[in-house]
Amino acid sequence: MSMNPRLIFRWTAFLLAGGYCIHTLILGEWGEFGGPFRFLTIWGLFCAFFAFSRLMALEEERSTCRWDGFISMAAVLNTMVLILYWRIFYADSVLVTGDGGFTEYHLEIYRHALGPALIVIDALFIHRSFIRVWAAAAWLVGVIGTYIALAELVWQPLNNTPSGTVTSGFPYDFLNNLEFADRAVFYSINFGTALVLLVVYAAIAWGIRRRFPAPATP
């Protein structure tokens, strides 16, 4: 009996995401308030895990809810994490790794390369997401807005490290070197980037749906 390649792909992606979520909860750095959840990468990881759990429910016919908006958001969020991480890393690796190097290569490869690629592949080619762009945009506003609010109102006031020339407590070193106005510009640029990515993915998804009709099953 032949195996369903789509089922194999989704089980693999689901188990990888779940495994790295458990790794984060058990072995993540909890020395500061908020622990690993101070980092947007971890939000992307857990969003991808939940997205894959819903995709598995669809695949195994345990649910009929497609979660188009959330899955589209998870793909965009993980892409944004990937772009931000590597852009800052190649500008100055110390700003994102603390010591300029990788402590666990498998974590960096999954969180900032393989993991985002898996959710984007499923969203575009298998699930055929990005059909409810406004719902995805609403999810992006909610998730990114919540992250920024926590960073400004909770993590920065309650944490002492890392520290910078302006303030301390923000999870990323470079944010502690920026005044609020500069941080607001940074947030706005990256939120704008997320919306542009959403539009780009929606256009790609439309082209895929036109060129390759959707399969009968989810």
Side-chain angles (χ1 to χ4, degrees):
M1 182 176 63
S2 61
M3 294 292 290
N4 181 349
R6 189 178 61 209
L7 182 62
I8 295 173
F9 175 88
R10 283 180 167 171
W11 263 115
T12 301
F14 172 73
L15 291 175
L16 279 171
Y20 279 103
C21 285
I22 293 171
H23 181 282
T24 298
L25 294 174
I26 296 175
L27 300 176
E29 179 54 60
W30 292 93
E32 297 289 338
F33 185 81
F37 290 95
R38 294 177 301 140
F39 299 95
L40 190 61
T41 295
I42 304 305
W43 287 50
L45 169 63
F46 276 78
C47 283
F49 172 65
F50 182 77
F52 278 121
S53 75
R54 298 307 84 210
L55 290 167
M56 285 301 303
L58 272 173
E59 185 69 40
E60 297 179 341
E61 299 181 351
R62 290 182 283 107
S63 173
T64 58
C65 182
R66 283 180 50 86
W67 287 82
D68 286 293
F70 185 91
I71 292 169
S72 300
M73 177 277 296
V76 170
L77 181 64
N78 275 273
T79 303
M80 187 174 72
V81 164
L82 184 151
I83 293 172
L84 279 170
Y85 181 87
W86 291 110
R87 187 180 70 187
I88 297 171
F89 179 86
Y90 283 115
D92 186 350
S93 60
V94 174
L95 294 177
V96 289
T97 64
D99 58 3
F102 297 145
T103 54
E104 296 181 86
Y105 278 89
H106 69 95
L107 283 178
E108 303 302 332
I109 291 171
Y110 180 79
R111 290 175 178 174
H112 302 113
L114 179 61
L118 291 175
I119 188 62
V120 169
I121 289 170
D122 202 314
L124 284 175
F125 297 99
I126 304 176
H127 185 250
R128 308 298 181 94
S129 305
F130 302 100
I131 58 176
R132 298 184 62 204
V133 176
W134 289 112
W139 274 108
L140 280 171
V141 170
V143 171
I144 296 176
T146 300
Y147 178 83
I148 292 172
L150 287 171
E152 291 286 336
L153 303 177
V154 179
W155 298 325
Q156 187 277 320
L158 295 180
N159 292 316
N160 296 318
T161 58
S163 60
T165 58
V166 175
T167 186
S168 62
F170 287 107
Y172 298 102
D173 288 347
F174 70 93
L175 288 177
N176 294 295
N177 296 326
L178 302 177
E179 297 285 354
F180 175 75
D182 296 320
R183 295 197 304 273
V185 171
F186 176 79
Y187 298 147
S188 299
I189 290 173
N190 286 285
F191 180 69
T193 300
L195 293 180
V196 169
L197 284 171
L198 175 59
V199 172
V200 170
Y201 278 152
I204 294 173
W206 178 84
I208 291 172
R209 289 194 298 271
R210 287 291 299 270
R211 180 66 180 83
F212 305 101
T217 54

